Amino acid sequence: MIITYATHFAFICFALAILMNLWKIITAGEIADRILALDSMFINALALMILYGIALGSEVYFEASLIIAMLGFVSTVAYARFILRGNIIE
Amino acid sequence: MFYEYLIAAFLVMAGLFGFVGSFGLLKLNDPMSRLHAPTKATTLGVGGVLLASMLHGAMIEGDPSLHELMITLFLFLTAPVTALFIAKVHIHRHETRQSLPKAGEDGLWATHDVAETAPETDKT
Amino acid sequence: MSLFLIAALPFLGAVFPALLIRAGRNASASAAGLTTFLAFVGLMLHAPAVFRGEVIQVGVDWLPALGLNANFFLDGLGFLFATMILGIGLLIILYARFYLSREDPMGQFYTYLLLFQGAMVGIVLSDNILLLLVFWELTSLSSFLLIGYWKHLPEGRQGARMALAVTGSGGLAMIGGMMILGHIAGSYDLSVILQNKDLIQASPLYLPALILILLGCFTKSAQFPFHFWLPHAMAAPTPVSAYLHSATMVKAGLFLMARLWPVLAGTPEWFYIVATTGLVTMLLGAVIALFKDDLKALLAFSTVSHLGLITMLLGFGTKIAAVTAVFHIINHATFKAALFMSAGIVDHEAHTRDIKRLGGLRHLMPVTATLAIVASLSMAGIPPFNGFLSKEMMLEETVHTLWGGSHYVVPALALVAALFSAAYSFRFIGHVFLGKTRDDYPAKPHDPGFGMWAGPALLITLVILIGLFSAKLAGPLVAVAAGAVIGGAELPYYSLKLWHGLTPALYMSAVAVIGGLILLKMHAPLMRAWNAAPRPEAKQIFDAVMRTLTKLSQIVTDGLHNGAITRYAFLMMLFIIGISYYAYSTGTVATPTRDVQAIGAIPAIAWFCLVVATLAVVAKHRQRQLSLVLIGVVGLVVSLGFNYLSAPDLALTQLSVEVVTMVLLLLALNFMPKDSPVEAPMWVRLRDGGIAVVGGLGAAALIYALMLRDFALPSISEFHLANSYKGGGGTNVVNVILVDFRGYDTFGEIIVLGIAALVIYALTEAVLGTRVRAYLLNRKPDMPQAGDAHPMMMVVATRVMMPLALMVAAYIFFRGHNLPGGGFIAGLIAAIALLMQYMASGFSWASERQRMFYHGTIGSGVLIAAATGLGSWFSGSPFLTSAFGYLHWAPLEEFEWATAALFDLGVFLAVVGAVLLALESLARFAWQPGISSEHAMDINPARDDAAEAAEGEA
Amino acid sequence: MSMTFLNIEFLVASAVGLLTAAGIYLILRRRTFPVILGLSLLTYGVNIFLFASGRLMVNAPPILNKYAEVPYTDPLPQALVLTAIVISFGMTAVVVMIALAAYLSARDDKIDMPHHPEDEGEDA
Amino acid sequence: MRLLRRLLPHPILTLLLTLAWVLLTSTWTLNSLVFGFLLGLLIPFLTQPYWPQQMRLKKPIKIIEYILIVLYDIVVANVIVARIVVFKPNAKRQPAWIAVPLDLLTPEAISVLAGTITMTPGTVAADVSAEGHALLVHCLDAPDPDAVRDEIKQRYERRLKEIFE
Amino acid sequence: MNHFLIAPVVLPALVAPFIIMVVRHHMDLTRIFSLASTVLLLAISLVLAAQASTGEVQVYELGNWSAPFGIVLVLDRLSAMMVLLTSVLALIINLYVIGSGWDKRGANFHALFQFQLMGIIGAFLTGDAFNLFVFFEVLLIASYGLMIHSGGTRRFQAGVQYVVYNLLGSTLFLFALGTLYSVTGTLNMADLAVRVAEIPAEDTALLRVGAVMLLLVFAIKAAVIPLHFWLPASYANAPLPVAALFAIMTKVGAYAILRMYTLVFGPDLGTTEGLAGAWLMPAALVTLMIGAIGILGSYRIGRLVAFGAITSMGTLLTAIALFSPESVAAALYYTLHSTLAAAFLFLVADLISERQGIEITAQRLMPQSGLIAVLFFTGAIAMAGMPPLSGFLGKLLVLDAARDHGMVWWIWGTILIGSLITILGMARAGSLLFWKSHSIPVAPSAETSQQPYEEEANEQDDTAERSAPAALPFVACFALLSGLILLTIFAGPASHYAEATAAQLFAPEIYIEAVLGKVTP
Ligand code: NA
Ligand code: NA
């Protein structure tokens, strides 16, 4: 029972976090901030997904989190490299 | 019962840090400082959830698994690189050689070290 | 000789000259002449039967579904025409051999001529109106080639196209008419149609059929107002004019009117349309002919006039008029062909056809003059030549014809026409052959060799003999032919002779001759008046019409297909939405059967993120990189949504595809402008927004309505759920569907990916093979670049990440059959793992170290998948039948194996190869001489210091 | 939470609608890049559409459970969407490349083709 | 021996990968172990070209100590940083750039150090110097930048030097 | 199990990767394998056609899963005919491409060519609606590659449009499939037929939307106005031999309309009544007319033929829209004709544009002018539907089939006037290209090389080789011409096959029973 409440609490925290990320992505004046916010959003989403796994007692959502952990990084680096170098594979 | 409280504690902690991380993104007023915030979400935020998940799996569901560790491993591997790149973007776009501390004997920081690695670019 | 052979011989003959092009002029002329002669002989063999009144018929089914049969028949009318076509054809072949010059491609000429001849023979022998149509259109086509034969002459090309345009359109109208006629009669066979006069004339479709068929006849026979093409067709070599435009093709229209006379004629509609058209044409042609200085133009309009005459006669609808028509057809063919050939000789010898530059030729070329003068007199209607006979009969008929209640209209106008006819005939004689010899001919004229005047001479002989001994010579032919025209009914009383007594026709003839002489006397002032008078110039009008048509077509075509895909797509959306709405609104909707499912706050927040991000993409789409970031949000939410809605495989796929797509887009964006300008005006954006909103609402409403209803019948996926484990050996039903139930889809899907990579590779090759390569090599980055292209931390992290990522790929691969994952996702992850290496250490460093040949990887992937599928053949099962089982190797536990895994390996390889080949191709664009990545990372103190130390030592 | 539109079906349907609408709007832009963005959005829209054609279920992944009788969502549309995602990925890659090639060759990324109706002389 | 080197180019990596496989599958069976080991052999073999230099560890045991210290630091620093973020007004915060001269030479060691700096909240490793002899670190709130630099060098770099070089 | 059914799909699917992997760098070997594959394909198609001509419907259950749960291939007269047509065309075009050296002007031509064949044949054979989508995508993506083969600015620009437009079509396809699956719960076409027939009359709207969207998808492929806009620019800017191959692609759309709207949404089905009839006929007529006008209004040879293809699609769709056994038989006969004719004219257009460039203007006399003129003339006759070639017979069949239709006057008028405009346009082009050239003095000059994409011409291209007259292209042209002639001479048997095919289409029970076994009501 307490886990349920705690999970809900965490859900709400991360959901609010995602909303804040979204706010930043939309409103930030600086592309670096937007990329940062997107990266944060990926990680918060990852947390949400694992929370779902806990809430539902299911393991099938694990891979998606794993992939996000691996791949969110790749897109963030790609966005950043684009600004730094233009060419992301050189 | 103990584990339930432990799990709950991890979850609450995770939620708080996760929230604070993204909150910092809004609150902090200079871009480099904002970069600090998400590292929170990655470390204690997600870390807490992962711990909770592992404990939950092992203790509540009776299906122990440590694969959450892999996620942790990936996050610890990638987060610094992400931060580095975003910092470099910031340095590239907003910092000058003068606005940064001197880079020791090397003279300048890699991001500003343009001529050596790339054909000349004229800022237009 | 079979009618088939007679019809086929000219076509066979057409092949020889084409093949004999190099064998010389005589060879091709002989080949053409021989086949024509054979056909002529073949025809003549049937003469006795035809004159006995028999009808020879042969037939074979060609396209029974349509009622188009290769049926031929030969009756009097057909015999008459076939004789003319083949007989005059022979003379023309002979004539042309001498007429054409050495530079003219003789083989081509005879090929075209025989093609035409075959088509004509086909028309007159057809016993099936569809078959007749085939030949009919063939005459248009082959005459197009003949008129344009002298390709270097603009008049030839223009005349050919004009003729084709006019006769072609008539022909197409006729197709419609014939189809209706066949429809009414219930058969396309002429022999059947001709039996159904009452049925046809009673049908409400009679008039449309009549009009359409007549359009064909009138255009072909140059009847007013379609007469204008014929004079322009005179740009053809004279043998062509003589053949097509006097004796044969223009008579095809007459033939067809005569052929269908039994079922179409006799109604007021027929009378007023046909007779009036004929009358007007006769008059008009005669008048214009008088004012033409070009010999061939004069003859052309004279032909128009005579065709009008015959048309008018057929239009009268009386049997006797039909007889007269047939008789005049024969007469006209003889004297007009002779005249054309004579004109051709004049042209050939004097190098001009301009009457004003001629005169007095009777002294220089007496033979030609004699021939031409006799023919002209016949044309003028002077006894005792054959033209007089039929013209007399014509005038006689006009007197008995009532037009719109008046007795005078037709005879009066016919008389005027006859008068002008006499006048231009006299002018032809007087201004060309009579008068004084001149000394300013472009060339010194003299009579040509026998070969050239033999043809006209033979025809002139006929002109005279028929005139003198008409009843004996032409009588039987006229009888059988006219008998056929009037449909086997009893022939009316008539007599073919010079002297009928003092009939009105005789007075009219006399008036015409005298009047003609007077007109000729007044020719010079009349000519001035004529030239001064304003009148429509057919060619200019036609050209203007054609130009306008072409221009209009260009405007319509270019206006519609202006290259603006934005508009194409808009129209497409509009159409799709409109039609879909129509489909919806004409159907019925029942009440929903399913309840909606409530949800909590988190999905709502995710939805909110999606909405905001999507709207932001639209709002910010001009900032290209930003919109890619925003799309990243959309992709993330969609993946989360899939995961939430019980589709983990989809979430995984979407996530990994997302990353690769992003990388691809960023790679491309590097070369492209970073912003899109505002181009569409506000109203266009509003319009686009409007259609977008409507489309979106439609899609949303549709899926909402669908989700609120149950399947009409249980979904087939229940079978998949039930049999996934039993029959497919896997618990991840989605994966079992992908690799087993619907493995064939997946097979297609990896091929799509493989092709995509091949296309990208080929494209890269194509682009880099052009001057674009130079541009790329010298291209300056359009944004300032930061230093440190290959940061140390990234490289180090990648070194650890790559093996781990490959491990994850392996994990995802092997568990896919039972848990979320599978070959495709694993392939993407593996590809991304390698991609990280490229991003970290650069293209050249990474590609030097990669051991895969991506082409080979794709190929092997597809081959493995296909081979797995084919493997099942050995057990006699269909392609892609899977097998699975369990292996036990002590001391290990049981291993599950499945051929599906092998198939999935194919998928894996294809995906890896395709993604990497695509990315590598793109990266090749960016390669510049300045870029080198000798080392994995740009900054490496260990390396540099070691190097320095080494340098210090040295 | 009692608002009537707060149901899965509505959210999914409206997402489909919005993505479709945004996709259509962007596809009607005049540069290749926004058009490609539009195609991406449209692809999301149609993939969700296809996915939803099997109706929606939460926590019922079509992974057979050996131990319990649990509900499964319709697996077939998922397989179809997977195929569709892969195919549209290939298509996107190709269109991006062709657009790039067109841009590099013409140095212009307008998607509407330049139109040259040559005025020819008299054609006879 | 050479054959062994070729088959087992990176024994640590093989071990790590085998462990990763076991972690991923979470099935503690012999099958899994054997299979994971096979993959642990195969993958380093495939990725060998991308590891041009052998990574050498002088004192591998020290890693554990290092990890524990870092984890402890992460927890503590997180709380501090969270306080700063939530409660400290921006105006009172004193962000700072610090240049940390490096004694470390190998890229691996420098990277681990940079990673550590970033993962311990309050500091972010932002860049290296042009030839890799200094790290640029950004501090969220550093009234005394020199103290931070000294701590980095003392607490982390020293240990890494022991481990790697 | 008759593995011949899968053979024409698997064969190119094996040959293409083999070419990529093994012989990619050896042009001669690549050609040999590609050609061998095409020849074999033709042989297989002949066997299939022979099997189908018995009237039996054969089913191939892929993965050994019975319909409707797995994917099945279905061979009936229609699919056999289309496969055979594809194989014939493929062989001829392959010869042409090899002879003209087009395949050397860019990478991976033969692999893409084989994949293209696989996609087309797969689409003809499949009995599953979603699989049809997959194979549409296979054939499309291969066509993208072939379309931009050897590159060039305009070709790329047209390529972007072609891809974007077709991607919209593919999206619509998925919308349609989602809707149909959501309503019926199945994807198998025979099963769809059974289930659609059982849809209650009070809830038809959603199914109708799905059905009509599907029809629109096929209409895009079949270039029905106003969904045809992709065609002119892409065909005209594609390498013309590729455009010749594309002549079959529009037929895929027509095929799919025929298949779906006889099998699943048959003319007697109340649920989907009026969906096709309401707009397809007028749209087809407008298509015909726009195509004809386009022929007259074209100033480039490729575009001219492209509009010719649109015209013939208009005629074909007119026949299909009549939806009677007679009209469908006419449509099928016309399909054979128009595919060969369009391909033929595209090849001739390539012969011309290789020598004179792509503009329809009078230029100096081209090499082999006489022979090419003959070919163009016959091609134009075929395209315009003039006698004596099969186009005329096809048109007569269509006209005849339209006799009892309410719009008969519109249909006849449009077809006939369309023919006239086509004739005028062809005559204009022909006289400019071949006749007017004779009035231009022969003056050898450097600036007369008029390669269409000269500015981007691949440096590796051997221009000498390009202009060297080769026999093989003419062999290919004459092969197509012979096809047309045979189709004319043997119009009886051909139309008999078409009639039998139409009859089979209008008796879908045989198909359904073959796929699903005995249908239990
Ligand atoms: Na899977
Ligand atoms: Na899979």
Side-chain angles (χ1 to χ4, degrees), chain C residues 298-557:
Chain C
L298 184 152
L299 291 177
F301 278 104
S302 134
T303 304
V304 169
S305 174
H306 282 272
L307 294 171
L309 185 159
I310 300 165
T311 303
M312 180 185 75
L313 284 171
L314 289 170
F316 287 165
T318 60
K319 290 175 184 174
I320 184 79
V323 175
T324 312
V326 168
F327 190 33
H328 195 70
I329 286 172
I330 299 172
N331 297 339
H332 178 252
T334 51
F335 67 69
K336 190 53 69 60
L339 274 172
F340 266 114
M341 290 196 243
S342 313
I345 293 173
V346 171
D347 185 18
H348 197 257
E349 301 301 328
H351 288 196
T352 183
R353 309 195 302 246
D354 189 347
I355 295 178
K356 283 187 294 200
R357 302 187 63 184
L358 295 168
L361 290 184
R362 98 191 123 101
H363 305 293
L364 300 170
M365 35 201 322
V367 177
T368 312
T370 313
L371 296 175
I373 289 169
V374 172
S376 299
L377 290 175
S378 179
M379 176 163 75
I382 305 293
F385 306 115
N386 60 359
F388 168 77
L389 292 170
S390 44
K391 188 158 99 183
E392 195 81 340
M393 288 167 76
M394 176 274 286
L395 290 172
E396 183 68 31
E397 280 315 297
T398 61
V399 176
H400 305 297
T401 305
L402 198 67
W403 196 97
S406 163
H407 282 289
Y408 300 103
V409 178
V410 180
L413 292 177
L415 178 58
V416 176
L419 196 149
F420 272 89
S421 183
Y424 67 68
S425 303
F426 296 149
R427 180 164 185 244
F428 189 86
I429 299 169
H431 291 189
V432 176
F433 296 100
L434 306 183
K436 270 195 277 202
T437 313
R438 301 166 62 147
D439 47 14
D440 60 346
Y441 305 116
K444 184 83 180 137
H446 53 78
D447 272 323
F450 172 73
M452 214 156 164
W453 61 259
L458 185 66
L459 290 169
I460 290 307
T461 317
L462 283 175
V463 166
I464 299 167
L465 290 180
I466 292 174
L468 295 174
F469 313 106
S470 51
K472 280 232 175 57
L473 267 176
L477 190 56
V478 170
V480 287
V485 172
I486 60 176
E490 192 149 330
L491 280 171
Y493 171 77
Y494 63 94
S495 71
L496 306 178
K497 55 184 181 185
L498 284 168
W499 181 250
H500 288 275
L502 291 173
T503 56
L506 188 65
Y507 297 127
M508 289 162 84
S509 279
V511 172
V513 170
I514 295 162
L517 285 170
I518 296 169
L519 274 182
L520 184 62
K521 207 77 191 152
M522 297 162 57
H523 186 262
L526 278 175
M527 190 76 176
R528 276 192 295 279
W530 173 263
N531 285 337
R535 60 178 181 280
E537 191 57 61
K539 172 156 166 46
Q540 277 160 16
I541 295 172
F542 177 82
D543 283 351
V545 167
M546 286 310 294
R547 240 196 324 275
T548 315
L549 259 182
T550 309
K551 198 77 217 162
L552 262 177
S553 300
Q554 280 170 354
I555 289 170
V556 168
T557 307

Side-chain angles (χ1 to χ4, degrees), chain C residues 649 735 738-739 816 821-825 904 907:
Chain C
D649 283 279
N735 186 267
L738 282 175
V739 300
F824 180 74
I825 305 166
D904 229 8
V907 175

Side-chain angles (χ1 to χ4, degrees), chain C residues 725-744:
Chain C
Y725 190 70
K726 268 189 295 178
T731 54
N732 180 358
V733 186
V734 174
N735 186 267
V736 176
I737 292 177
L738 282 175
V739 300
D740 203 334
F741 293 117
R742 300 184 68 87
Y744 188 58

Side-chain angles (χ1 to χ4, degrees), chain F residues 351-423:
Chain F
L351 291 175
I352 296 168
S353 65
E354 287 287 289
R355 288 163 175 77
Q356 276 201 336
I358 53 177
E359 307 288 338
I360 302 176
T361 48
Q363 292 177 43
R364 87 207 139 89
L365 209 55
M366 65 184 94
Q368 294 163 304
S369 158
L371 193 50
I372 297 174
V374 169
L375 290 173
F376 181 84
F377 188 71
T378 43
I381 288 174
M383 187 64 105
M386 294 281 276
L389 292 177
S390 41
F392 184 70
L393 304 180
K395 270 189 186 166
L396 286 182
L397 283 168
V398 177
L399 292 175
D400 194 53
R403 269 197 320 214
D404 299 322
H405 192 267
M407 288 177 70
V408 56
W409 297 114
W410 286 102
I411 296 168
W412 283 18
T414 312
I415 291 181
L416 294 174
I417 294 171
S419 302
L420 175 65
I421 301 176
T422 306
I423 293 165

Side-chain angles (χ1 to χ4, degrees), chain C residues 192 321 361 370-371 374 424 465 476 492 524 592 597 651 657 746 811 836 877 950:
Chain C
V192 178
L361 290 184
T370 313
L371 296 175
V374 172
Y424 67 68
L465 290 180
Q597 307 171 62
V657 163
T746 309
Y811 164 73
M836 279 194 278
S877 311

